[in-house]
Amino acid sequence: MYKEARETQDKNLVKGATGDWEVVIGLEVHAQVTSKAKLFSGASAQYGGEPNDHVSLVDAAMPGMLPVINEECVHQAIRTGLGLRAKINKRSVFDRKNYFYPDLPQGYQISQFKDPIVGEGKVLLDLKDGSQVTIGIERLHLEQDAGKSIHDLHPDHSVVDLNRSGVALMEIVSYPDMRSAEEARAYVTKLRTILRYLGTCDGNMDEGSMRADVNVSVRRPGEPWGTRTETKNVNSIRFIGQTIEYEINRQIDVLEDGGTIDQETRLYDPKKNETRPMRSKEEAHDYRYFPDPDLLPLEFDQALVDRLKSELPELPDDKKNRFMSDYDLSPYDAEILIATRSSADFFEKVANGPDGKGGRDAKLAVNWIMGDLSGHANAKGVGVHEAGVSADQLGQLIDLISDGTISGKIAKDVLEIVFNEGGNPADIVEAKGLKQMSDTGELEAIVDEIIANNPKQVEQLKTKPKTIGWFVGQVMQKTKGKANPQAVNKLLQAKLEIGEG
Ligand code: ADP
Ligand code: MG
């Protein structure tokens, strides 16, 4: 049924009371298509709005209404397929998936079953330990979202908001290729990055734009697949991880007690951090899928695929590889920078300088972006490009460090001033007299004074050359950190007649 399974790796095994268990995870991610209108109607697909404001007669399933496919949603699905390096099916079919629910006025959802628009693809993950994993994509299909039943607005009524009814979703189904909660989190994070680069889904999980059905099973290494549970509609990356951890422990406990796992649908409760059964396979629906007679099969030619492909932006993996070769970055640094297009662009602006020709110390740029800038950005809950320092300002700061005008330590102070008061680093250094002292005349006087005042330390230095650091520290204190450490070292070595550190 499935493509070949990944080999068992010791690092992913979970210790139970009776031995090791291997965890198997497959995710079905629902991603809302970024589009102005819904999949089969002209109503707005925008998030929010007054209840039932974005509802056409088609979305409300008035008798005699006919669905008309929104071409842009089809293009978005093709772009996404290309971004997942997947097979694009130039002929696909819309089916009716029949079930009753108050927020589903048609009595069926238009979806794709046997013939989806996108076939097999893959997503590459870089994990914290430096290893790489490829997660297989089984398919991507287009379908309608349902409306929303609201049960807590009225004491004895439920109400229905159809704004979401008919909005286009892409269901992206992975193979059961993930082996830990960490891998599942990395997969959803990477998937979201790809969708955001492509502009095909905004990835805002707190608005429900992306949510996952989480399939988890455990097995003894090398044994056949275990029975899985499916936890529905988990809507944050953290909760996906917690769902998996909870299910792993629960399933292992049941199996080690001699019980069996029921193939069932469960729900995650974030307040209690647990999953609970929702319905079992016996109650499972027979959806009676059949091709929707109101819609022709969806067909397009290779020329369309080629055109959309030629218009795609640089994809995250390509950008990462380019960063590693152009700027000599480590895979880890590159991975963090490409996480969003804006942080990647910000880094390139800093590294490439005002003329765009490059030449700035890229490693220095990375360190400042991931260090001080990230700190400020995280505290504000924004991206590094919005931390409060422009690429120009950070670039200037790096120039001042690179040409020896200021030390890294002073640069930290200058950056704080930029954060708090704004301004150009070069002007701040000038105005506050923060230039590094490399001028030997002035430094020499200070060094002489410290040597004269500390005969004991001078004596000790003869047997312990490493204590020269103490003298450097003294000079730094006297100059409030402005002395150029190399210049100080040279002076001290010459005066105290010792070799290099
Ligand atoms: P269904 O259509 O009933 O939901 P599928 O076979 O299409 O079932 O699988 C749905 C998801 O469940 C896929 O993401 C797949 O990778 C995952 N899955 C299938 N078998 C297992 C298993 N034994 N353990 C964990 N996940 C699984
Ligand atoms: Mg399913």
Side-chain angles (χ1 to χ4, degrees):
M1 171 159 68
Y2 292 112
K3 77 186 186 69
E4 214 162 289
R6 273 175 63 192
E7 254 173 57
T8 305
Q9 278 188 304
D10 287 346
K11 67 168 183 176
N12 289 330
L13 296 182
V14 176
K15 288 230 175 316
T18 59
D20 288 343
W21 295 91
E22 185 174 15
V23 178
V24 175
I25 302 158
L27 296 181
E28 298 160 273
V29 171
H30 289 91
Q32 183 178 325
V33 173
T34 300
S35 65
K36 287 206 178 72
K38 295 182 178 181
L39 184 53
F40 297 112
S41 85
S44 168
Q46 233 197 326
Y47 176 78
E50 288 297 305
N52 297 307
D53 244 10
H54 306 158
V55 186
S56 74
L57 296 172
V58 175
D59 311 317
M62 289 298 147
M65 293 298 111
L66 288 174
V68 178
I69 184 79
N70 177 347
E71 201 178 32
E72 178 57 13
C73 294
V74 174
H75 293 183
Q76 292 289 55
I78 297 173
R79 289 185 186 108
T80 306
L82 292 168
L84 300 174
R85 304 181 199 282
K87 177 165 184 289
I88 308 296
N89 294 325
K90 281 169 281 188
R91 183 180 190 281
S92 63
V93 176
F94 284 106
D95 295 283
R96 288 187 181 178
K97 179 179 182 180
N98 300 279
Y99 63 98
F100 172 81
Y101 212 76
D103 57 27
L104 186 78
Q106 288 173 150
Y108 57 84
Q109 176 192 31
I110 305 179
S111 180
Q112 298 189 303
F113 186 48
K114 281 210 283 292
D115 300 296
I117 183 168
V118 175
E120 289 186 329
K122 58 185 175 210
V123 173
L124 208 69
L125 307 183
D126 286 277
L127 300 176
K128 276 206 194 80
D129 66 0
S131 62
Q132 275 199 338
V133 177
T134 304
I135 306 301
I137 300 290
E138 186 188 322
R139 60 189 273 146
L140 175 157
H141 64 255
L142 277 169
E143 64 183 28
Q144 302 174 297
D145 204 347
K148 195 170 149 198
S149 301
I150 304 163
H151 306 291
D152 56 3
L153 273 187
H154 196 278
D156 46 27
H157 290 92
S158 285
V159 296
V160 173
D161 176 5
L162 293 180
N163 279 351
R164 246 173 38 192
S165 167
V167 166
L169 298 179
M170 298 180 282
E171 177 167 342
I172 303 167
V173 182
S174 85
Y175 279 108
D177 278 350
M178 286 155 269
R179 294 291 176 271
S180 66
E182 187 206 344
E183 288 186 4
R185 282 194 302 262
Y187 167 76
V188 179
T189 305
K190 184 64 174 284
L191 190 60
R192 186 174 62 175
T193 296
I194 294 170
L195 298 178
R196 284 179 167 167
Y197 266 63
L198 293 166
T200 57
C201 168
D202 64 28
N204 296 337
M205 298 184 82
D206 49 354
E207 293 179 358
S209 294
M210 237 179 106
R211 45 196 198 261
D213 297 345
V214 182
N215 296 273
V216 181
S217 67
V218 298
R219 63 170 174 181
R220 297 291 189 188
E223 299 266 296
W225 302 102
T227 303
R228 74 187 149 102
T229 60
E230 176 180 12
T231 305
K232 284 276 187 196
N233 271 326
V234 188
N235 65 357
S236 86
I237 291 176
R238 193 161 60 93
F239 292 162
I240 289 170
Q242 287 173 358
T243 294
I244 293 167
E245 300 290 0
Y246 183 86
E247 271 304 294
I248 294 172
N249 291 328
R250 188 187 69 82
Q251 293 185 15
I252 291 178
D253 281 352
V254 169
L255 293 170
E256 294 199 326
D257 279 350
T260 51
I261 300 299
D262 297 328
Q263 181 168 343
E264 63 185 1
T265 305
R266 299 176 72 88
L267 277 182
Y268 175 71
D269 178 348
K271 287 196 197 88
K272 295 191 173 150
N273 186 25
E274 63 179 28
T275 67
R276 280 196 300 273
M278 188 169 125
R279 58 170 185 255
S280 70
K281 200 67 186 176
E282 291 89 89
E283 304 163 50
H285 293 105
D286 174 3
Y287 293 117
R288 289 168 44 246
Y289 280 101
F290 65 87
D292 191 315
D294 290 339
L295 290 159
L296 288 170
L298 178 62
E299 290 182 295
F300 45 81
D301 54 20
Q302 188 59 37
L304 173 67
V305 181
D306 292 342
R307 175 169 73 77
L308 294 173
K309 188 169 188 174
S310 72
E311 293 166 0
L312 289 185
E314 185 178 31
L315 290 168
D317 287 336
D318 299 329
K319 203 184 274 293
K320 179 180 172 186
N321 290 333
R322 185 169 62 77
F323 277 17
M324 285 164 58
S325 63
D326 283 8
Y327 303 105
D328 205 22
L329 299 188
S330 71
Y332 179 81
D333 287 350
E335 178 79 7
I336 290 184
L337 287 173
I338 60 106
T340 67
R341 255 165 102 166
S342 23
S343 65
D345 290 349
F346 184 84
F347 160 75
E348 286 211 279
K349 251 195 223 150
V350 176
N352 290 340
D355 58 2
K357 291 197 187 119
R360 282 206 181 114
D361 185 333
K363 187 66 200 165
L364 218 47
V366 173
N367 289 345
W368 284 95
I369 291 173
M370 291 194 190
D372 294 57
L373 257 60
S374 275
H376 279 263
N378 291 344
K380 291 187 192 172
V382 297
V384 283
H385 62 296
E386 298 159 322
V389 173
S390 70
D392 260 1
Q393 288 168 316
L394 181 60
Q396 263 192 35
L397 191 76
I398 288 170
D399 288 342
L400 293 169
I401 302 168
S402 299
D403 68 14
T405 308
I406 55 174
S407 65
K409 195 172 159 303
I410 292 288
K412 261 180 145 27
D413 300 340
V414 175
L415 192 64
E416 280 313 306
I417 296 173
V418 177
F419 272 122
N420 296 326
E421 299 161 26
N424 284 325
D427 298 342
I428 294 168
V429 167
E430 201 51 64
K432 308 222 173 211
L434 295 174
K435 271 196 183 144
Q436 200 158 231
M437 290 168 54
S438 305
D439 157 356
T440 27
E442 207 179 331
L443 271 185
E444 201 172 345
I446 296 170
V447 169
D448 284 343
E449 187 191 327
I450 289 169
I451 291 175
N453 290 345
N454 297 284
K456 261 217 312 261
Q457 277 80 358
V458 173
E459 198 54 35
Q460 192 188 30
L461 186 70
K462 287 180 186 148
T463 50
K464 290 188 188 149
K466 287 248 186 289
T467 57
I468 193 167
W470 182 84
F471 288 90
V472 178
Q474 291 296 304
V475 180
M476 284 309 203
Q477 232 173 42
K478 262 240 126 72
T479 60
K480 300 206 172 65
K482 285 187 292 180
N484 177 333
Q486 279 95 36
V488 174
N489 253 306
K490 272 226 177 76
L491 269 174
L492 281 167
Q493 275 156 11
K495 301 227 172 233
L496 299 169
E497 294 176 335
I498 51 168
E500 305 246 332

